[in-house]
Amino acid sequence: MNKVYINCLSSFLPNESVDNEHIEDFLGYIEGKKSRIKSIVLKRNGIKHRYYALNEEGAVTHRNSEMVVEAIKKLSSLGGCIEDIDTLCCATTTPDQLVPSHASMVHGQLKCHPVEIFSFSGVCLTSLQALKTLFNAIRLNESHKGICTASELISPTFRAVNYEVPEAVCDELSNTQYMEFERDFLRFMLSDGAAALLLSDRPNEAGLSLKIEWVKTKSYANETSTCMRMGGELLPNGELKGWKEFGDRLNIGNFLLCQDFKILMNGMKYWVDFIEECIQEYAMDVHEIKTVIPHISSAFIGDELKKEMQSRNVELWDNWFTNLSEVGNIGSASIFVALDEYMATRAQKGEKILLLVPESARFSYGAALLTVV
């Protein structure tokens, strides 16, 4: 099988950085009131700055696909040759539309030659699903060079106007009854951006590359309940009712991203179970790993993950790198944005980097081991 390398990485973060004091200047005030839980959420997530594809009037400045194209164009400006790619893998939770596919829209706006495309929908783990697909295509000689992207445009859904629904309607639409914390806390957790990776079967002739040793993902949805939803209603029996079943009750409230914070922490056990499985399957010597780059939604989750690792003697809680506080939680794009910054500022030839990505929608996990060459 071919060896596979990441030859170039890029990120696109729209507009100017938004600090904690100005979040609601962009998202708006629900019913004209400042959020009562904002300070609590921000204290726990540790985010100080993020980026929105919005202006202060709440108008969208960049579509999701446009941010991806900007990230891909940046690859070229950084020296990555993209003219001869044959594969395009695009991941997102928040495409601009249901049809055509996200990858189709990116390819159409990129205006390059015909290529094979793959679209991945889900939440954070879509990034590694896209990476694994391109990794395997190059390993099997079905592709020689391709681009893998991950991106999110979530901020428009967080605008205050989308939350100003009559209480009676809210109670009918969801058994959570739109409790203030459940409907509001994600507004201060997530933000926008895109990242792109150029992969090929050869390392760079000059400068650093990343050799992909392996990529592994696993879902535990057969054992877990739905934790995050968008476009669905959680029924009392725990089943998820899709938006097409709503009939005349279809409402913007059904398309707001929701998370059941009460069961979120249940996923920590599965995450470390998965990490232990990776260590065993690939005979990993954890002491050879120079840096761990985890995608964590908040500083609080990072602390809880470290505690779970320590309680089970999984020695991967030191030497973490995250840029969460300065770029925010960009969902699927977060892991690639962090890897891009690490490679640009800290990477050293010969070191091994472990990527860890959870997905709490219904608890799936992924990991990738990289070697700087």
Side-chain angles (χ1 to χ4, degrees), residues 6-221:
I6 300 173
N7 301 118
C8 191
L9 305 92
S10 69
S11 302
F12 178 80
L13 302 173
N15 303 317
E16 299 296 323
S17 172
V18 177
D19 64 25
N20 290 348
E21 295 301 316
H22 295 90
I23 293 175
E24 289 175 294
D25 292 342
F26 289 82
L27 303 184
Y29 298 88
I30 297 175
E31 298 176 350
K33 303 174 184 177
K34 289 186 176 182
S35 170
R36 293 187 296 177
I37 68 165
K38 172 185 168 184
S39 60
I40 299 172
V41 175
L42 292 172
K43 182 178 180 180
R44 299 190 80 180
N45 69 25
I47 299 172
K48 298 178 180 177
H49 298 89
R50 77 283 296 144
Y51 293 81
Y52 294 135
L54 297 174
N55 60 27
E56 290 195 49
E57 286 71 48
V60 175
T61 60
H62 302 78
R63 295 188 179 99
N64 189 326
S65 55
E66 289 173 338
M67 291 191 291
V68 176
V69 170
E70 290 297 327
I72 292 174
K73 289 179 177 178
K74 192 174 177 182
L75 286 174
S76 184
S77 69
L78 292 170
C81 180
I82 66 173
E83 286 75 15
D84 56 345
I85 64 167
D86 51 39
T87 310
L88 176 65
C89 296
C90 298
T92 189
T93 314
T94 53
D96 296 313
Q97 65 291 305
L98 296 177
V99 177
S101 73
H102 179 56
S104 293
M105 298 305 292
V106 172
H107 185 217
Q109 292 181 37
L110 191 60
K111 299 187 184 305
C112 66
H113 53 279
V115 298
E116 187 170 21
I117 63 170
F118 296 90
S119 284
F120 298 85
S121 64
V123 194
C124 306
L125 192 56
T126 55
S127 55
L128 291 193
Q129 291 166 347
L131 180 65
K132 182 168 185 175
T133 297
L134 184 52
F135 168 59
N136 282 335
I138 296 174
R139 288 174 76 206
L140 296 172
N141 210 35
E142 294 181 350
S143 170
H144 295 285
K145 181 184 285 189
I147 291 174
C148 172
T149 74
S151 58
E152 301 296 354
L153 176 60
I154 189 69
S155 62
T157 70
F158 291 149
R159 289 177 294 195
V161 65
N162 296 330
Y163 291 77
E164 294 172 350
V165 184
E167 287 292 331
V169 175
C170 291
D171 290 347
E172 183 185 3
L173 288 174
S174 174
N175 67 353
T176 65
Q177 299 183 354
Y178 275 56
M179 293 176 63
E180 184 173 7
F181 186 79
E182 290 190 0
R183 77 169 183 170
D184 205 13
F185 88 98
L186 286 177
R187 298 178 75 226
F188 306 107
M189 294 286 290
L190 300 169
S191 52
D192 307 329
L197 279 58
L198 179 64
L199 276 65
S200 79
D201 54 7
R202 299 180 182 180
N204 291 320
E205 293 182 1
L208 299 177
S209 299
L210 283 164
K211 181 177 178 245
I212 303 178
E213 304 292 348
W214 50 262
V215 184
K216 179 179 175 67
T217 66
K218 178 166 279 193
S219 166
Y220 294 85

Side-chain angles (χ1 to χ4, degrees), residues 9-11 74 78 195 335-345:
L9 305 92
S10 69
S11 302
K74 192 174 177 182
L78 292 170
I335 193 68
F336 293 159
V337 171
L339 180 61
D340 178 27
E341 181 175 330
Y342 185 86
M343 285 297 294
T345 59

Side-chain angles (χ1 to χ4, degrees), residues 213-214 275-276 278-280 282-294 309 314-321 342 348 350-356 367-372:
E213 304 292 348
W214 50 262
I275 293 169
E276 288 182 327
C278 290
I279 292 172
Q280 182 175 358
Y282 297 103
M284 289 169 52
D285 182 349
V286 295
H287 300 102
E288 291 183 352
I289 297 172
K290 167 76 164 27
T291 301
V292 175
I293 303 181
M309 286 181 171
V314 178
E315 298 183 50
L316 286 172
W317 56 79
D318 292 326
N319 300 321
W320 280 20
F321 174 81
Y342 185 86
Q348 297 179 353
E351 70 173 285
K352 292 189 181 298
I353 301 170
L354 181 66
L355 307 182
L356 297 176
L369 185 64
L370 313 172
T371 301
V372 182

Side-chain angles (χ1 to χ4, degrees), residues 124 271 293-297 301 324 329-332 334-335 356-358:
C124 306
W271 196 357
I293 303 181
H295 166 50
I296 50 175
S297 60
I301 293 295
L324 175 71
N329 179 357
I330 321 171
S332 65
S334 286
I335 193 68
L356 297 176
V357 180

